[in-house]
Amino acid sequence: MSKHVVASVAELPPGARKLVTVKGRPIAVFNIGGEYFGLLNRCPHQGGSLVHGVLTGLLESAEPGCYRFSREGEILRCPWHGWEFDVRTGQSYCEPRRVAIRPYPVEVASGSLVVEGPYVAETVPVRVEENYVVVEA
Ligand code: FES
């Protein structure tokens, strides 16, 4: 895998998302509370665009009438038919053993490291004075 500069940190503040193309693959990059996640932008059900999905939380129930809501903003709901995926791993909560979205590692690299490589700039010009969001694909 090689590393690709896809945005400056300023372009992707907490709560933001961006669709990027790396090596011809559409990748949805999310900033959730300062953590970055990358997922293939194609729902395994029928190909919905996941970058347009709703970020929600995990709802669990141990018994009727009793439920617990957790991990707010970490569950991605496909905009087409509502399948849900863990944004950290790409795993489906409907069929976790069979269905998953391919996750891509995302990191922030300082401008000076980006200039030195091994990153490949494809969508934005590189500026040494800023930090960048980098997808490994
Ligand atoms: S295409 Fe995503 S749930 Fe159907």
Side-chain angles (χ1 to χ4, degrees):
M1 283 212 247
S2 53
K3 297 184 176 190
H4 303 262
V5 176
V6 296
S8 69
V9 166
E11 285 178 76
L12 268 171
R17 57 185 72 183
K18 182 177 183 180
L19 178 61
V20 301
T21 302
V22 176
K23 291 183 173 174
R25 294 182 212 124
I27 298 173
V29 179
F30 298 87
N31 179 342
I32 300 173
E35 287 186 271
Y36 294 87
F37 304 96
L39 295 171
L40 185 66
N41 190 45
R42 187 175 193 289
C43 178
H45 179 220
Q46 290 183 352
S49 175
L50 295 170
V51 77
H52 297 107
V54 173
L55 286 167
T56 183
L58 181 63
L59 188 61
E60 298 171 291
S61 176
E63 60 187 85
C66 185
Y67 66 90
R68 188 172 73 98
F69 186 76
S70 62
R71 300 188 57 200
E72 186 166 358
E74 295 184 13
I75 305 300
L76 179 62
R77 183 181 301 144
C78 177
W80 283 12
H81 310 103
W83 284 26
E84 294 182 339
F85 304 90
D86 187 325
V87 81
R88 292 183 176 275
T89 63
Q91 200 162 51
S92 161
Y93 271 91
C94 299
E95 294 192 57
R97 288 193 195 101
R98 207 172 63 82
V99 178
I101 307 166
R102 181 175 179 176
Y104 289 90
V106 180
E107 66 184 39
V108 173
S110 74
S112 59
L113 290 175
V114 168
V115 169
E116 291 171 10
Y119 306 93
V120 178
E122 291 188 348
T123 59
V124 296
V126 175
R127 292 181 296 265
V128 175
E129 69 274 10
E130 291 188 27
N131 290 331
Y132 292 88
V133 178
V134 178
V135 169
E136 192 170 325

